[in-house]
Amino acid sequence: MSNAFSQFIQRLKTPPAFAQNHRFSLGLVCLIALCAGAVLPLALAPYHYWWLAILSPALLYACLDQRSSTHAFFIGWSYGIGLWFVGAFWLYTSIHVYGDTPAYIAVFLIALMSIAMGVFSAVQTWFYRRFFPETPLTFAPIWVFFEWLKTWVFTGFPWLFVGYAFTNYGLDEYAPLFGIFGVSFVVILIASALTECLFGKRFWILPILLLIAGAWGAKHIQWVEAKKQTPLTVSLIQGNIPQDLKWLVEYQAQTLSIYATMSQTEWGRDLVVWPEASIPMFQTDLQPFLDIISNHANERGSAWVTGIPYWDLNKSTTDKPLYYNSIMATGSASQGMYYKQRLVPFGEYIPFSGALSWVAPGVSDVGLSGFSAGHDQQPPLMIKNHRLASAICYEVAYPNITRKNALNTDFLVTISNDAWFTGTAGPWQHLQMVQMRAKENGRWIIRATNTGVTAFINEQGHIVSQLPMDVRQVLRGELPAFTGQTLYSRLGDWAILLFCALLLILGLLYKPKVVDTRFKQRR
């Protein structure tokens, strides 16, 4: 099998020549790249075929060999289309089922999204072949830069990063040093270096071994330690309210009753957490209910943290009401409010909702498109003399937002309502990102969700306990406070980005010059 794969890749790398008719055409190479991109999501949760995260970029690296920058653009675009169409197909449930959109139009919209997001890969490969020498030392840093761009260009869509495939698979030991982008750098360098090894460039085995040894060494660095305090006893409430019922006016009272009833046996524990939008009404509409639950918590010595839509009456205007997807902390020795900073496209709001309303009648619903974003300088929640960092749903996918929120805190909470994407890979991909955030910041994360996956995740990014999907249940556990900082917590993404920039500068300086030898052929 190794021989067959080597021969297959060798054909891709055969230098272009008109006499060599066995060289793959651009169309066929684009098809290979499309398939290579489509299999990368299988390396992520819930499938965990991590080795595909090596094979997929290795194929792309081989497809780009000796290709012009124009060809590279279309090869990269094909790769990106395959990656996003398969990897983000969970959007179908949100658009079709909850957006009242016909199935064929939902697929069409996902295809359009894939074509748009695929442009990132297209420009990435064009940039690589246009300006830099063909080597893993330029291919890997360019890959990292374009993953980073996905965290902020047009507000960002930071999904499907290759490094997530190695969550709990060894190479994630680089996360406390350099974050997810450091892990992605190592994965891509190994993938492209292995490809070079298949062509007889055996010296690339050395950096591969060094990177693997580096991961082993990083595993033994103790960045953080548990505080000498008794861990908090925590109950996470998973109400399992179907998304098509959650926002119905006639179901609101029943939703509140479900969560209140499930919590009755949990008051008395240090912290009780309800998930995102567990309260399907603005605080202005049910203040008596909030007071009752808060009093229950306070009387039993419990802190209560819940997701709730918040209407900021003080800053709202008639033309622009300010609604926030928020986390509220109240109860015994606890207080605070956090507003979500980044909103999820197609789940929480619909990009270009006005233009798309004719094909998706549900996009004007406030539950889909009516929230505002909170600012990036919000204090942590205070829970029984502990500082609790917050992240709501989609924003936990943004490494730097979570890192900034986690600074000088004891642990993190993230709440989510992944019922938008139930039955798909989306919630599992989301959970995997939470694991990486825990590893990067060296903090426990408690995750409370409506339909799953509710979980306790330790400072190593390992799942300590979790509930099954789509069940109505309470997850109980202990939450230890941690102190100390990882290197990534201190430096953020700058360390890996500067290192990648240095490699690219060196690549530009030492790029081999192309010598025109046509005059010799005329002699």
Side-chain angles (χ1 to χ4, degrees), residues 10-12 14-15 17-25:
Q10 187 61 53
R11 291 188 66 188
L12 289 178
T14 303
F18 292 108
Q20 295 173 333
N21 55 21
H22 64 273
R23 178 174 171 79
F24 290 173
S25 67

Side-chain angles (χ1 to χ4, degrees), residues 160 455 498:
L160 304 176
L498 289 174

Side-chain angles (χ1 to χ4, degrees), residues 36 39 157 263 271 358 411 436 439 490 495-496 498 513:
V39 301
F157 192 2
S263 300
L271 174 61
W358 66 278
F411 28 59
M436 187 62 74
K439 184 82 172 181
R490 294 189 183 98
I496 187 63
L498 289 174
K513 294 181 179 179

Side-chain angles (χ1 to χ4, degrees), residues 271-323:
L271 174 61
V272 177
V273 183
W274 293 10
E276 178 188 22
S278 51
I279 298 176
M281 305 162 67
F282 291 108
Q283 86 286 359
T284 52
D285 298 327
L286 73 168
Q287 193 59 52
F289 174 83
L290 297 178
D291 292 338
I292 290 171
I293 299 298
S294 181
N295 289 336
H296 275 317
N298 200 44
E299 290 170 1
R300 299 293 301 276
S302 297
W304 177 42
V305 168
T306 182
I308 182 172
Y310 185 82
W311 183 2
D312 191 339
L313 294 172
N314 294 328
K315 297 182 180 179
S316 294
T317 64
T318 305
D319 296 331
K320 187 179 180 181
L322 294 177
Y323 306 123

Side-chain angles (χ1 to χ4, degrees), residues 228-250:
K228 295 179 180 178
Q229 297 174 336
T230 304
L232 298 182
T233 55
V234 178
S235 294
L236 308 178
I237 314 298
Q238 182 171 293
N240 194 37
I241 310 298
Q243 187 60 37
D244 54 347
L245 299 178
K246 173 174 279 295
W247 296 102
L248 294 180
V249 174
E250 58 267 32

Side-chain angles (χ1 to χ4, degrees), residues 215-413:
W216 178 84
K219 182 179 181 178
H220 295 85
I221 302 175
Q222 184 176 345
W223 298 102
V224 297
E225 60 181 2
K227 289 186 174 181
K228 295 179 180 178
Q229 297 174 336
T230 304
L232 298 182
T233 55
V234 178
S235 294
L236 308 178
I237 314 298
Q238 182 171 293
N240 194 37
I241 310 298
Q243 187 60 37
D244 54 347
L245 299 178
K246 173 174 279 295
W247 296 102
L248 294 180
V249 174
E250 58 267 32
Y251 201 80
Q252 289 175 341
Q254 187 170 345
T255 296
L256 296 175
S257 175
I258 287 170
Y259 278 101
T261 301
M262 292 180 70
S263 300
Q264 283 180 357
T265 58
E266 308 310 311
W267 302 125
R269 295 175 68 80
D270 292 322
L271 174 61
V272 177
V273 183
W274 293 10
E276 178 188 22
S278 51
I279 298 176
M281 305 162 67
F282 291 108
Q283 86 286 359
T284 52
D285 298 327
L286 73 168
Q287 193 59 52
F289 174 83
L290 297 178
D291 292 338
I292 290 171
I293 299 298
S294 181
N295 289 336
H296 275 317
N298 200 44
E299 290 170 1
R300 299 293 301 276
S302 297
W304 177 42
V305 168
T306 182
I308 182 172
Y310 185 82
W311 183 2
D312 191 339
L313 294 172
N314 294 328
K315 297 182 180 179
S316 294
T317 64
T318 305
D319 296 331
K320 187 179 180 181
L322 294 177
Y323 306 123
Y324 294 101
N325 191 353
S326 67
I327 297 178
M328 178 183 70
T330 186
S332 176
S334 303
Q335 63 177 351
M337 182 74 74
Y338 173 80
Y339 303 141
K340 186 177 181 182
Q341 298 178 43
R342 293 294 177 94
L343 309 178
V344 55
F346 299 108
E348 212 162 27
Y349 80 102
I350 302 295
F352 315 111
S353 58
L356 294 177
S357 60
W358 66 278
V359 293
V363 299
S364 297
D365 191 305
V366 66
L368 285 172
S369 59
F371 286 117
S372 301
H375 66 80
D376 62 355
Q377 298 293 329
Q378 301 183 57
L381 306 177
M382 296 305 300
I383 306 293
K384 293 181 174 291
N385 296 319
H386 290 289
R387 296 164 66 87
L388 176 64
S390 304
I392 301 178
C393 190
Y394 173 69
E395 66 184 353
V396 80
Y398 291 81
N400 199 48
I401 288 179
T402 306
R403 181 191 70 86
K404 289 168 65 177
N405 288 349
L407 288 173
N408 302 314
T409 60
D410 299 312
F411 28 59
L412 293 87
V413 61

Side-chain angles (χ1 to χ4, degrees), residues 111-257:
L112 284 181
M113 180 275 300
S114 303
I115 291 170
M117 292 302 298
V119 172
F120 278 96
S121 297
V123 176
Q124 170 187 327
T125 50
W126 174 87
F127 191 67
Y128 166 64
R129 288 301 297 120
R130 176 67 179 83
F131 297 107
F132 296 95
E134 296 182 74
T135 168
L137 293 177
T138 56
F139 185 68
I142 292 173
W143 186 294
V144 166
F145 268 118
F146 276 82
E147 281 194 345
W148 173 69
L149 287 176
K150 291 171 192 170
T151 66
W152 60 271
V153 172
F154 302 121
T155 76
F157 192 2
W159 219 264
L160 304 176
F161 292 171
V162 69
Y164 287 122
F166 286 86
T167 305
N168 295 338
Y169 285 100
L171 295 183
D172 66 338
E173 298 299 338
Y174 283 100
L177 286 86
F178 308 116
I180 180 59
F181 300 127
V183 181
S184 290
F185 175 86
V186 171
V187 173
I188 298 303
L189 190 61
I190 289 176
S192 50
L194 280 173
T195 307
E196 293 289 354
C197 288
L198 289 175
F199 309 121
K201 298 180 181 179
R202 307 298 182 192
F203 62 86
W204 281 106
I205 199 68
L206 179 59
I208 293 173
L209 294 176
L210 288 174
L211 289 171
I212 294 173
W216 178 84
K219 182 179 181 178
H220 295 85
I221 302 175
Q222 184 176 345
W223 298 102
V224 297
E225 60 181 2
K227 289 186 174 181
K228 295 179 180 178
Q229 297 174 336
T230 304
L232 298 182
T233 55
V234 178
S235 294
L236 308 178
I237 314 298
Q238 182 171 293
N240 194 37
I241 310 298
Q243 187 60 37
D244 54 347
L245 299 178
K246 173 174 279 295
W247 296 102
L248 294 180
V249 174
E250 58 267 32
Y251 201 80
Q252 289 175 341
Q254 187 170 345
T255 296
L256 296 175
S257 175

